[in-house]
Coordinates of all heavy atoms in Angstrom, one line a residue:
M1 N 0.8 -1.2 0.0 CA 0.0 0.0 0.0 C 0.9 1.3 0.0 O 0.4 2.4 -0.1 CB -0.9 0.0 1.2 CG -2.2 -0.8 1.0 SD -3.0 -0.3 -0.5 CE -4.6 -0.5 -0.1
K2 N 2.2 1.1 0.2 CA 3.0 2.3 0.1 C 2.9 3.1 -1.2 O 2.8 4.3 -1.2 CB 4.5 1.9 0.3 CG 5.4 3.0 0.7 CD 6.7 2.5 1.0 CE 7.5 3.5 1.8 NZ 8.8 3.0 2.3
L3 N 2.8 2.3 -2.3 CA 2.6 3.0 -3.6 C 1.3 3.8 -3.6 O 1.3 4.9 -4.2 CB 2.6 2.0 -4.8 CG 3.9 1.3 -5.0 CD1 3.6 0.1 -6.0 CD2 4.9 2.2 -5.6
S4 N 0.2 3.2 -3.1 CA -1.1 4.0 -3.1 C -1.0 5.2 -2.2 O -1.4 6.3 -2.6 CB -2.1 3.0 -2.5 OG -2.2 1.9 -3.4
Y5 N -0.4 5.1 -1.1 CA -0.2 6.2 -0.2 C 0.5 7.4 -0.8 O 0.1 8.6 -0.8 CB 0.4 5.9 1.2 CG 0.6 7.0 2.1 CD1 -0.5 7.5 2.8 CD2 1.8 7.6 2.3 CE1 -0.4 8.5 3.7 CE2 1.9 8.7 3.2 CZ 0.9 9.1 3.9 OH 1.0 10.2 4.7
Q6 N 1.6 7.1 -1.5 CA 2.3 8.1 -2.2 C 1.5 8.8 -3.3 O 1.5 10.0 -3.5 CB 3.7 7.6 -2.8 CG 4.5 8.7 -3.4 CD 4.9 9.8 -2.4 OE1 5.4 9.5 -1.3 NE2 4.7 11.0 -2.8
G7 N 0.8 8.0 -4.0 CA -0.1 8.6 -5.1 C -1.1 9.5 -4.6 O -1.4 10.6 -5.1
I8 N -1.6 9.1 -3.4 CA -2.7 10.0 -2.8 C -2.1 11.3 -2.3 O -2.6 12.4 -2.4 CB -3.4 9.3 -1.6 CG1 -4.2 8.1 -2.2 CG2 -4.2 10.2 -0.8 CD1 -4.7 7.1 -1.2
Q9 N -0.9 11.2 -1.7 CA -0.2 12.4 -1.2 C 0.1 13.4 -2.4 O 0.1 14.6 -2.3 CB 1.1 12.0 -0.5 CG 0.9 11.4 0.8 CD 0.1 12.3 1.8 OE1 0.6 13.3 2.1 NE2 -1.0 11.7 2.3
D10 N 0.4 12.8 -3.6 CA 0.7 13.6 -4.7 C -0.5 14.2 -5.4 O -0.4 15.3 -6.0 CB 1.4 12.8 -5.8 CG 2.8 12.3 -5.3 OD1 3.3 12.9 -4.4 OD2 3.3 11.4 -6.0
K11 N -1.7 13.7 -5.1 CA -2.9 14.2 -5.8 C -4.1 14.1 -4.9 O -4.6 13.0 -4.6 CB -3.2 13.3 -7.0 CG -4.3 13.8 -7.9 CD -4.7 12.8 -9.0 CE -3.6 12.2 -9.7 NZ -4.0 11.3 -10.9
Q12 N -4.5 15.3 -4.4 CA -5.8 15.3 -3.6 C -6.6 16.4 -4.2 O -6.1 17.4 -4.7 CB -5.5 15.7 -2.2 CG -4.9 14.6 -1.4 CD -5.1 14.7 0.1 OE1 -6.1 15.4 0.5 NE2 -4.2 14.3 0.9
A13 N -7.9 16.1 -4.3 CA -8.8 17.1 -4.9 C -9.9 17.4 -3.8 O -10.3 16.5 -3.0 CB -9.5 16.5 -6.1
F14 N -10.3 18.6 -3.8 CA -11.3 19.0 -2.9 C -12.5 19.5 -3.8 O -12.4 20.5 -4.5 CB -10.9 20.2 -2.0 CG -9.9 19.7 -1.0 CD1 -8.5 19.6 -1.4 CD2 -10.2 19.2 0.3 CE1 -7.5 19.1 -0.5 CE2 -9.3 18.7 1.2 CZ -7.9 18.6 0.8
A15 N -13.7 18.8 -3.7 CA -14.8 19.2 -4.5 C -15.4 20.4 -4.0 O -16.0 21.2 -4.8 CB -15.8 18.0 -4.5
A16 N -15.4 20.7 -2.8 CA -16.1 21.8 -2.1 C -15.6 22.0 -0.7 O -15.0 21.0 -0.1 CB -17.5 21.8 -2.2
A17 N -15.9 23.0 -0.1 CA -15.5 23.2 1.3 C -16.1 22.1 2.2 O -17.3 21.7 2.0 CB -16.0 24.6 1.8
G18 N -15.3 21.5 3.0 CA -15.8 20.4 3.9 C -15.7 19.0 3.3 O -16.1 18.1 3.9
I19 N -15.2 19.0 2.0 CA -15.1 17.6 1.4 C -13.7 17.3 0.8 O -13.1 18.2 0.3 CB -16.1 17.6 0.1 CG1 -17.5 17.9 0.6 CG2 -16.0 16.3 -0.6 CD1 -18.4 18.2 -0.5
A20 N -13.2 16.2 1.1 CA -11.9 15.7 0.6 C -12.1 14.5 -0.4 O -12.8 13.6 0.0 CB -11.0 15.4 1.7
L21 N -11.4 14.6 -1.5 CA -11.4 13.4 -2.5 C -10.0 13.0 -2.8 O -9.6 13.2 -3.9 CB -12.1 13.9 -3.8 CG -13.6 14.3 -3.8 CD1 -14.0 14.9 -5.1 CD2 -14.4 13.1 -3.4
P22 N -9.4 12.4 -1.8 CA -8.1 11.8 -2.1 C -8.2 10.7 -3.1 O -9.1 9.9 -3.0 CB -7.5 11.4 -0.8 CG -8.7 11.2 0.1 CD -9.8 12.1 -0.4
H23 N -7.4 10.6 -4.2 CA -7.5 9.7 -5.2 C -6.2 9.4 -5.9 O -5.3 10.3 -5.9 CB -8.5 10.1 -6.2 CG -8.2 11.4 -6.9 ND1 -7.6 11.5 -8.1 CD2 -8.4 12.7 -6.4 CE1 -7.4 12.8 -8.5 NE2 -7.9 13.5 -7.5
A24 N -6.0 8.2 -6.4 CA -4.7 7.9 -7.2 C -5.0 6.7 -8.1 O -5.8 5.8 -7.7 CB -3.6 7.7 -6.3
R25 N -4.3 6.7 -9.2 CA -4.1 5.5 -10.0 C -2.8 4.9 -9.5 O -1.8 5.6 -9.4 CB -4.1 5.8 -11.5 CG -5.5 6.2 -11.9 CD -5.6 6.7 -13.3 NE -5.0 5.7 -14.2 CZ -4.6 6.1 -15.5 NH1 -4.8 7.3 -15.9 NH2 -4.2 5.2 -16.3
T26 N -2.8 3.6 -9.2 CA -1.7 3.0 -8.5 C -1.5 1.5 -8.9 O -2.5 0.8 -9.3 CB -1.8 3.1 -7.0 OG1 -0.7 2.4 -6.4 CG2 -3.1 2.5 -6.5
A27 N -0.3 1.0 -8.9 CA -0.1 -0.4 -9.0 C -0.4 -1.2 -7.7 O -0.5 -2.5 -7.7 CB 1.4 -0.7 -9.3
G28 N -0.9 -0.5 -6.7 CA -1.2 -1.2 -5.4 C -2.6 -1.8 -5.4 O -2.9 -2.4 -4.4
V29 N -3.4 -1.6 -6.4 CA -4.7 -2.3 -6.3 C -5.0 -2.9 -7.8 O -4.4 -2.5 -8.7 CB -5.9 -1.2 -6.1 CG1 -5.7 -0.6 -4.7 CG2 -5.9 -0.1 -7.1
K30 N -5.9 -3.9 -7.7 CA -6.2 -4.6 -9.0 C -7.6 -4.2 -9.6 O -7.8 -4.5 -10.7 CB -6.2 -6.1 -8.7 CG -4.9 -6.7 -8.3 CD -4.9 -8.2 -8.2 CE -3.7 -8.7 -7.6 NZ -2.8 -9.4 -8.1
R31 N -8.3 -3.5 -8.8 CA -9.7 -3.0 -9.3 C -9.9 -1.7 -8.6 O -9.3 -1.4 -7.5 CB -10.8 -4.0 -9.1 CG -11.1 -4.3 -7.6 CD -12.1 -5.3 -7.5 NE -12.2 -5.9 -6.1 CZ -13.1 -5.3 -5.2 NH1 -13.8 -4.3 -5.5 NH2 -13.1 -5.8 -4.0
L32 N -10.9 -0.9 -9.1 CA -11.2 0.4 -8.6 C -11.9 0.1 -7.2 O -12.8 -0.6 -7.1 CB -12.2 1.1 -9.5 CG -12.4 2.6 -9.2 CD1 -12.4 3.4 -10.4 CD2 -13.7 2.8 -8.3
I33 N -11.4 0.9 -6.2 CA -12.1 0.7 -4.8 C -12.2 2.2 -4.3 O -11.5 3.0 -4.6 CB -11.1 -0.1 -3.9 CG1 -9.8 0.5 -3.8 CG2 -11.1 -1.6 -4.3 CD1 -9.0 -0.1 -2.7
S34 N -13.2 2.2 -3.5 CA -13.5 3.5 -2.8 C -13.8 3.2 -1.3 O -14.3 2.2 -1.0 CB -14.6 4.2 -3.3 OG -14.3 4.8 -4.6
A35 N -13.4 4.2 -0.5 CA -13.8 4.1 0.9 C -14.4 5.5 1.2 O -13.9 6.6 0.9 CB -12.6 3.9 1.8
I36 N -15.5 5.5 2.0 CA -16.2 6.7 2.4 C -16.2 6.8 3.9 O -16.4 5.9 4.6 CB -17.7 6.7 1.9 CG1 -17.7 6.4 0.4 CG2 -18.4 7.9 2.2 CD1 -19.0 5.9 -0.1
A37 N -15.8 8.0 4.3 CA -15.8 8.3 5.8 C -16.4 9.6 6.0 O -16.3 10.5 5.2 CB -14.4 8.2 6.4
I38 N -17.1 9.7 7.2 CA -17.6 11.1 7.6 C -17.0 11.3 9.0 O -16.8 10.4 9.8 CB -19.1 11.1 7.6 CG1 -19.7 10.1 8.4 CG2 -19.6 11.1 6.2 CD1 -21.3 10.2 8.6
S39 N -16.8 12.6 9.3 CA -16.4 13.1 10.6 C -17.4 14.2 10.9 O -17.4 15.3 10.4 CB -15.0 13.7 10.6 OG -14.7 14.3 11.8
R40 N -18.3 13.9 11.8 CA -19.4 14.9 12.1 C -18.9 16.2 12.7 O -19.4 17.2 12.4 CB -20.5 14.2 13.0 CG -21.2 13.2 12.3 CD -22.4 12.7 13.0 NE -22.9 11.4 12.7 CZ -23.2 10.9 11.6 NH1 -22.9 11.5 10.5 NH2 -23.7 9.7 11.4
S41 N -17.8 16.1 13.4 CA -17.2 17.3 14.0 C -16.2 17.9 13.1 O -15.8 19.1 13.3 CB -16.5 17.0 15.4 OG -15.5 16.0 15.2
G42 N -15.7 17.1 12.1 CA -14.8 17.7 11.0 C -13.4 17.6 11.4 O -13.0 17.5 12.7
C43 N -12.5 17.6 10.5 CA -11.0 17.5 10.6 C -10.4 18.8 10.0 O -11.0 19.3 9.1 CB -10.5 16.3 10.0 SG -11.2 14.7 10.5
A44 N -9.3 19.2 10.6 CA -8.6 20.3 10.0 C -8.4 20.2 8.6 O -8.0 19.1 8.1 CB -7.4 20.6 10.8
S45 N -8.6 21.2 7.8 CA -8.4 21.1 6.3 C -7.1 21.6 5.9 O -6.5 22.6 6.5 CB -9.5 21.9 5.6 OG -9.3 21.9 4.2
T46 N -6.5 20.9 4.9 CA -5.2 21.4 4.4 C -5.5 22.1 3.0 O -4.6 22.5 2.4 CB -4.2 20.3 4.1 OG1 -4.9 19.3 3.2 CG2 -3.8 19.6 5.5
G47 N -6.7 22.2 2.6 CA -7.1 22.9 1.3 C -7.2 24.3 1.5 O -6.9 24.9 2.5
A48 N -7.7 25.0 0.5 CA -7.9 26.4 0.5 C -9.0 26.9 1.4 O -8.9 28.1 1.9 CB -8.2 26.8 -1.0
S49 N -9.9 26.1 1.7 CA -11.0 26.5 2.6 C -10.6 26.2 4.1 O -9.9 25.4 4.4 CB -12.2 25.6 2.3 OG -13.2 25.8 3.3
A50 N -11.1 27.2 4.9 CA -10.7 27.1 6.4 C -11.8 26.2 7.0 O -11.7 25.8 8.2 CB -10.8 28.5 7.0
E51 N -12.8 25.8 6.2 CA -13.9 24.9 6.8 C -13.3 23.5 7.1 O -12.6 22.9 6.3 CB -15.1 24.8 5.8 CG -16.2 24.0 6.4 CD -17.4 24.1 5.4 OE1 -17.5 25.0 4.6 OE2 -18.2 23.1 5.5
A52 N -13.7 23.0 8.2 CA -13.3 21.6 8.6 C -13.9 20.6 7.6 O -15.0 20.7 7.1 CB -13.8 21.3 10.0
T53 N -13.1 19.6 7.2 CA -13.5 18.6 6.4 C -14.3 17.5 7.1 O -13.9 17.0 8.1 CB -12.2 17.9 5.7 OG1 -11.5 18.9 5.1 CG2 -12.6 16.9 4.7
K54 N -15.5 17.2 6.5 CA -16.4 16.3 7.2 C -16.7 15.1 6.3 O -17.0 14.0 6.8 CB -17.8 17.0 7.4 CG -17.6 18.1 8.5 CD -19.0 18.6 8.8 CE -18.8 19.6 10.0 NZ -20.1 20.2 10.4
V55 N -16.5 15.1 5.0 CA -16.7 14.0 4.1 C -15.5 13.7 3.4 O -14.9 14.5 2.7 CB -17.9 14.4 3.1 CG1 -18.1 13.2 2.1 CG2 -19.2 14.8 3.8
F56 N -15.1 12.4 3.4 CA -13.9 11.9 2.7 C -14.3 10.7 1.8 O -15.0 9.9 2.3 CB -12.9 11.4 3.8 CG -12.5 12.4 4.8 CD1 -13.3 12.7 5.9 CD2 -11.3 13.1 4.6 CE1 -12.9 13.6 6.9 CE2 -10.9 14.0 5.6 CZ -11.7 14.3 6.7
V57 N -13.9 10.9 0.5 CA -14.1 9.7 -0.3 C -12.7 9.4 -1.0 O -12.3 10.2 -1.8 CB -15.1 10.0 -1.5 CG1 -15.3 8.9 -2.4 CG2 -16.5 10.5 -0.8
L58 N -12.2 8.3 -0.5 CA -10.9 7.8 -1.0 C -11.1 7.0 -2.2 O -12.0 6.0 -2.1 CB -10.2 7.1 0.0 CG -9.0 6.2 -0.4 CD1 -7.8 7.1 -0.8 CD2 -8.5 5.3 0.8
S59 N -10.4 7.1 -3.3 CA -10.6 6.3 -4.5 C -9.2 5.9 -5.0 O -8.3 6.7 -5.2 CB -11.3 7.0 -5.6 OG -12.6 7.4 -5.2
L60 N -9.1 4.5 -5.3 CA -7.9 4.0 -5.8 C -8.3 3.2 -7.0 O -9.2 2.4 -7.0 CB -7.2 3.1 -4.8 CG -6.7 3.8 -3.5 CD1 -6.1 2.8 -2.5 CD2 -5.6 4.8 -3.8
S61 N -7.4 3.3 -8.1 CA -7.8 2.6 -9.3 C -6.4 2.0 -9.8 O -5.4 2.6 -9.7 CB -8.3 3.6 -10.3 OG -8.5 3.0 -11.5
P62 N -6.5 0.9 -10.5 CA -5.4 0.3 -11.2 C -4.8 1.3 -12.3 O -5.5 2.1 -12.8 CB -5.8 -0.9 -11.9 CG -7.1 -1.2 -11.2 CD -7.7 0.0 -10.8
L63 N -3.5 1.2 -12.5 CA -2.9 2.1 -13.5 C -3.5 2.0 -14.9 O -3.6 3.0 -15.6 CB -1.4 1.8 -13.6 CG -0.6 2.2 -12.4 CD1 0.9 1.6 -12.5 CD2 -0.6 3.6 -12.1
D64 N -4.0 0.8 -15.3 CA -4.5 0.6 -16.6 C -6.0 0.8 -16.7 O -6.7 0.5 -17.7 CB -4.2 -0.8 -17.1 CG -4.8 -1.9 -16.2 OD1 -5.4 -1.6 -15.2 OD2 -4.7 -3.0 -16.7
A65 N -6.7 1.4 -15.7 CA -8.2 1.6 -15.7 C -8.5 3.1 -15.8 O -9.3 3.7 -15.1 CB -8.7 1.0 -14.5
G66 N -7.9 3.8 -16.8 CA -8.1 5.2 -17.0 C -9.5 5.6 -17.2 O -10.0 6.5 -16.5
Q67 N -10.3 5.0 -18.1 CA -11.7 5.5 -18.4 C -12.6 5.3 -17.2 O -13.2 6.2 -16.8 CB -12.2 4.8 -19.6 CG -13.5 5.4 -20.1 CD -13.4 6.9 -20.5 OE1 -12.3 7.4 -20.9 NE2 -14.5 7.6 -20.5
P68 N -12.5 4.0 -16.6 CA -13.4 3.8 -15.4 C -13.0 4.7 -14.3 O -13.9 5.2 -13.5 CB -13.2 2.4 -15.0 CG -12.7 1.7 -16.3 CD -12.0 2.9 -17.0
Y69 N -11.8 5.0 -14.1 CA -11.3 5.9 -13.1 C -11.8 7.3 -13.3 O -12.4 8.0 -12.3 CB -9.8 5.9 -13.1 CG -9.1 7.0 -12.2 CD1 -9.1 6.9 -10.8 CD2 -8.5 8.0 -12.8 CE1 -8.4 7.8 -10.1 CE2 -7.8 9.0 -12.0 CZ -7.8 8.9 -10.7 OH -7.2 9.8 -9.9
L70 N -11.8 7.8 -14.5 CA -12.2 9.2 -14.8 C -13.8 9.3 -14.6 O -14.3 10.3 -14.1 CB -11.8 9.6 -16.2 CG -10.4 9.8 -16.4 CD1 -10.1 10.1 -17.9 CD2 -9.8 10.9 -15.5
Q71 N -14.5 8.2 -15.1 CA -15.9 8.2 -14.9 C -16.3 8.2 -13.4 O -17.3 8.9 -13.0 CB -16.5 7.0 -15.6 CG -16.5 7.1 -17.1 CD -16.9 5.8 -17.8 OE1 -16.8 4.7 -17.2 NE2 -17.3 5.9 -19.0
H72 N -15.6 7.4 -12.7 CA -15.9 7.3 -11.2 C -15.7 8.7 -10.6 O -16.5 9.2 -9.8 CB -15.1 6.3 -10.6 CG -15.0 6.2 -9.2 ND1 -16.1 5.7 -8.4 CD2 -14.1 6.7 -8.2 CE1 -15.8 5.8 -7.1 NE2 -14.7 6.4 -6.9
M73 N -14.5 9.3 -10.8 CA -14.2 10.6 -10.2 C -15.2 11.6 -10.6 O -15.6 12.5 -9.8 CB -12.7 11.0 -10.5 CG -11.7 10.2 -9.9 SD -11.8 9.9 -8.1 CE -11.6 11.6 -7.5
S74 N -15.6 11.7 -11.8 CA -16.6 12.6 -12.3 C -17.9 12.5 -11.6 O -18.6 13.4 -11.1 CB -16.8 12.4 -13.8 OG -17.8 13.2 -14.3
H75 N -18.4 11.2 -11.5 CA -19.6 10.9 -10.8 C -19.6 11.3 -9.3 O -20.5 11.9 -8.8 CB -20.0 9.3 -11.0 CG -21.2 8.9 -10.3 ND1 -22.5 9.4 -10.7 CD2 -21.4 8.2 -9.3 CE1 -23.4 8.9 -9.9 NE2 -22.8 8.1 -9.0
I76 N -18.6 10.9 -8.6 CA -18.4 11.2 -7.2 C -18.4 12.8 -7.1 O -19.0 13.3 -6.2 CB -17.1 10.6 -6.6 CG1 -17.3 9.0 -6.6 CG2 -16.9 11.2 -5.2 CD1 -18.5 8.5 -5.8
G77 N -17.6 13.4 -7.9 CA -17.5 14.9 -7.8 C -18.9 15.6 -8.0 O -19.2 16.5 -7.3
K78 N -19.6 15.0 -9.0 CA -21.0 15.7 -9.2 C -21.9 15.5 -8.0 O -22.7 16.3 -7.7 CB -21.6 15.1 -10.5 CG -20.9 15.6 -11.8 CD -21.5 14.9 -13.0 CE -20.7 15.3 -14.2 NZ -21.1 14.5 -15.4
L79 N -21.9 14.2 -7.5 CA -22.7 14.0 -6.3 C -22.4 14.9 -5.2 O -23.2 15.5 -4.5 CB -22.5 12.6 -5.8 CG -23.1 11.5 -6.7 CD1 -22.7 10.1 -6.0 CD2 -24.6 11.6 -6.8
L80 N -21.1 15.1 -4.9 CA -20.7 15.9 -3.8 C -20.7 17.4 -4.0 O -20.4 18.2 -3.0 CB -19.2 15.5 -3.3 CG -19.2 14.0 -2.8 CD1 -17.7 13.6 -2.6 CD2 -20.0 13.8 -1.6
M81 N -21.1 17.8 -5.1 CA -21.3 19.2 -5.3 C -22.8 19.6 -5.0 O -23.1 20.8 -5.0 CB -21.0 19.6 -6.8 CG -19.6 19.5 -7.2 SD -18.5 20.4 -6.2 CE -18.9 22.1 -6.7
K82 N -23.6 18.6 -4.7 CA -25.0 18.9 -4.3 C -25.2 18.9 -2.8 O -24.9 17.9 -2.1 CB -25.8 17.7 -4.9 CG -25.9 17.7 -6.4 CD -26.6 16.5 -6.9 CE -26.5 16.3 -8.4 NZ -27.1 15.0 -8.8
K83 N -25.6 20.1 -2.3 CA -25.7 20.3 -0.8 C -26.7 19.3 -0.3 O -26.5 18.7 0.8 CB -26.2 21.7 -0.5 CG -26.3 21.9 1.0 CD -26.8 23.3 1.3 CE -26.9 23.5 2.8 NZ -27.1 22.4 3.7
E84 N -27.7 19.0 -1.0 CA -28.8 18.0 -0.4 C -28.1 16.6 -0.3 O -28.4 15.9 0.7 CB -30.0 17.9 -1.4 CG -30.6 19.2 -1.8 CD -29.9 20.0 -2.9 OE1 -29.3 19.4 -3.8 OE2 -30.0 21.2 -2.8
F85 N -27.3 16.2 -1.2 CA -26.6 15.0 -1.1 C -25.7 14.9 0.1 O -25.7 14.0 0.9 CB -25.9 14.5 -2.4 CG -25.3 13.2 -2.4 CD1 -26.1 12.1 -2.7 CD2 -24.0 13.0 -2.1 CE1 -25.6 10.8 -2.6 CE2 -23.5 11.7 -2.1 CZ -24.3 10.6 -2.3
I86 N -25.0 16.0 0.3 CA -24.0 16.1 1.4 C -24.8 16.0 2.7 O -24.4 15.3 3.7 CB -23.1 17.3 1.3 CG1 -22.2 17.3 0.1 CG2 -22.3 17.5 2.6 CD1 -21.5 18.5 -0.3
D87 N -25.9 16.7 2.8 CA -26.7 16.6 4.0 C -27.2 15.2 4.3 O -27.2 14.8 5.4 CB -27.9 17.6 3.9 CG -27.5 19.1 3.9 OD1 -26.4 19.4 4.3 OD2 -28.4 19.9 3.4
E88 N -27.6 14.5 3.2 CA -28.0 13.1 3.4 C -26.8 12.2 3.9 O -26.9 11.4 4.8 CB -28.5 12.5 2.1 CG -29.9 13.0 1.7 CD -30.3 12.3 0.5 OE1 -30.7 11.1 0.5 OE2 -30.5 13.0 -0.6
V89 N -25.6 12.5 3.3 CA -24.4 11.8 3.7 C -24.1 11.9 5.2 O -23.9 11.0 6.0 CB -23.2 12.1 2.9 CG1 -21.9 11.6 3.5 CG2 -23.3 11.6 1.5
L90 N -24.2 13.2 5.6 CA -23.8 13.5 7.0 C -24.9 13.0 7.9 O -24.7 12.8 9.1 CB -23.7 15.0 7.2 CG -22.4 15.7 6.5 CD1 -22.5 17.1 6.6 CD2 -21.2 15.0 7.1
A91 N -26.1 12.8 7.5 CA -27.2 12.3 8.3 C -27.3 10.8 8.4 O -28.0 10.2 9.2 CB -28.6 12.9 7.8
A92 N -26.5 10.1 7.5 CA -26.5 8.6 7.6 C -26.1 8.2 8.9 O -25.1 8.6 9.5 CB -25.6 8.1 6.4
D93 N -26.8 7.2 9.4 CA -26.5 6.8 10.8 C -25.7 5.5 11.0 O -25.4 5.0 12.0 CB -27.8 6.7 11.7 CG -28.8 5.7 11.1 OD1 -28.5 5.2 10.0 OD2 -29.9 5.6 11.7
N94 N -25.4 4.9 9.7 CA -24.5 3.7 9.8 C -23.8 3.5 8.4 O -24.3 4.2 7.4 CB -25.3 2.5 10.2 CG -26.5 2.2 9.3 OD1 -26.3 2.0 8.1 ND2 -27.7 2.1 9.9
A95 N -23.0 2.6 8.3 CA -22.2 2.3 7.1 C -23.1 1.9 6.0 O -22.9 2.3 4.8 CB -21.1 1.3 7.4
A96 N -24.0 1.0 6.3 CA -24.9 0.5 5.3 C -25.8 1.6 4.6 O -25.9 1.7 3.4 CB -25.8 -0.6 5.8
A97 N -26.3 2.5 5.5 CA -27.0 3.7 4.9 C -26.1 4.6 4.1 O -26.5 5.1 3.0 CB -27.6 4.5 6.1
L98 N -24.9 4.8 4.5 CA -24.0 5.6 3.7 C -23.6 5.0 2.4 O -23.7 5.6 1.3 CB -22.7 5.8 4.5 CG -21.7 6.7 4.0 CD1 -22.2 8.1 3.9 CD2 -20.4 6.8 5.0
R99 N -23.4 3.7 2.4 CA -23.1 2.9 1.2 C -24.3 3.0 0.2 O -24.2 3.2 -1.0 CB -22.8 1.5 1.5 CG -22.5 0.6 0.3 CD -22.1 -0.8 0.8 NE -21.8 -1.6 -0.3 CZ -22.7 -2.4 -1.0 NH1 -23.9 -2.4 -0.7 NH2 -22.2 -3.1 -2.0
D100 N -25.5 2.9 0.8 CA -26.8 2.9 -0.1 C -26.9 4.3 -0.7 O -27.4 4.3 -1.9 CB -28.0 2.5 0.8 CG -28.0 1.0 1.1 OD1 -27.3 0.2 0.5 OD2 -28.8 0.7 2.0
L101 N -26.6 5.3 -0.1 CA -26.7 6.6 -0.7 C -25.9 6.7 -1.9 O -26.4 7.2 -2.9 CB -26.2 7.7 0.3 CG -27.2 8.1 1.5 CD1 -26.5 9.0 2.5 CD2 -28.4 8.9 0.9
F102 N -24.7 6.3 -1.9 CA -23.8 6.3 -3.0 C -24.2 5.4 -4.1 O -24.1 5.7 -5.3 CB -22.3 6.2 -2.6 CG -21.7 7.4 -2.0 CD1 -21.9 7.6 -0.7 CD2 -21.0 8.2 -2.8 CE1 -21.3 8.8 -0.1 CE2 -20.4 9.3 -2.3 CZ -20.6 9.6 -0.9
L103 N -24.7 4.2 -3.7 CA -25.0 3.2 -4.7 C -26.4 3.6 -5.4 O -26.6 3.2 -6.6 CB -25.2 1.8 -4.1 CG -23.8 1.3 -3.7 CD1 -24.0 -0.2 -3.1 CD2 -22.9 1.1 -4.9
R104 N -27.3 4.3 -4.8 CA -28.6 4.5 -5.4 C -28.6 5.9 -6.1 O -29.6 6.2 -6.8 CB -29.7 4.5 -4.4 CG -29.8 5.6 -3.3 CD -31.0 5.5 -2.5 NE -30.9 6.2 -1.3 CZ -31.2 7.5 -1.2 NH1 -31.7 8.2 -2.2 NH2 -31.1 8.2 -0.1
A105 N -27.6 6.7 -6.0 CA -27.5 7.9 -6.7 C -27.5 7.6 -8.2 O -26.7 6.8 -8.7 CB -26.2 8.6 -6.3
P106 N -28.3 8.3 -9.0 CA -28.3 8.1 -10.4 C -27.0 8.5 -11.1 O -26.4 9.4 -10.7 CB -29.5 9.0 -10.9 CG -29.7 10.0 -9.9 CD -29.2 9.4 -8.6
V107 N -26.6 7.6 -12.1 CA -25.5 7.9 -12.9 C -26.0 8.4 -14.2 O -26.8 7.8 -14.9 CB -24.7 6.6 -13.1 CG1 -23.5 6.9 -14.0 CG2 -24.2 6.0 -11.8
K108 N -25.5 9.6 -14.5 CA -25.9 10.3 -15.8 C -24.9 9.9 -16.9 O -23.7 10.1 -16.7 CB -26.1 11.7 -15.7 CG -27.1 12.1 -14.7 CD -27.5 13.5 -14.8 CE -28.7 13.7 -13.8 NZ -29.1 14.9 -13.6
S109 N -25.4 9.3 -18.0 CA -24.4 8.9 -19.0 C -24.1 10.1 -19.9 O -24.9 11.1 -20.0 CB -25.1 7.8 -19.9 OG -26.3 8.3 -20.4
A110 N -22.9 10.1 -20.5 CA -22.5 11.2 -21.4 C -23.4 11.1 -22.7 O -23.7 10.1 -23.1 CB -21.0 11.0 -21.8
K111 N -23.7 12.3 -23.3 CA -24.5 12.3 -24.5 C -23.7 12.5 -25.7 O -22.6 12.9 -25.7 CB -25.5 13.5 -24.4 CG -26.5 13.2 -23.3 CD -27.5 14.3 -23.3 CE -28.6 14.0 -22.3 NZ -29.6 14.9 -22.2

C-alpha cells in the first residue's frame, strides 16, 4: 500500500469546502475501490478552505483503468457538489445507509 499512499499524497482534490477526495491510480490495487468516511465534528483542512473537512471519499484505481477511473471521479464529484446529497451523507446513521446513498445515486451517461 506504500505506492497507493504516495499517489494519494501527490494528488488530492477538494470538491467543495468540507469535502476531501483523495485519489490515485496505482499499481497497489487490482480494481477500482473507494472508501467513504464522515467526521461529524470535522477535521482540520489542508485545502484552500478554512472549513473543517467532514466528508472523505478515497478512491484508488489500477494504473490501466483510465476511463473507469475518470468516470468514477466525475460521478463522485458531481454528487458531492449537491448540498442536499452532502446533507444526506452527514445524516447517515450507519455504514450501510452511507453505502446505499452512493449506490442509489443516479449515474448520468454522457451524451
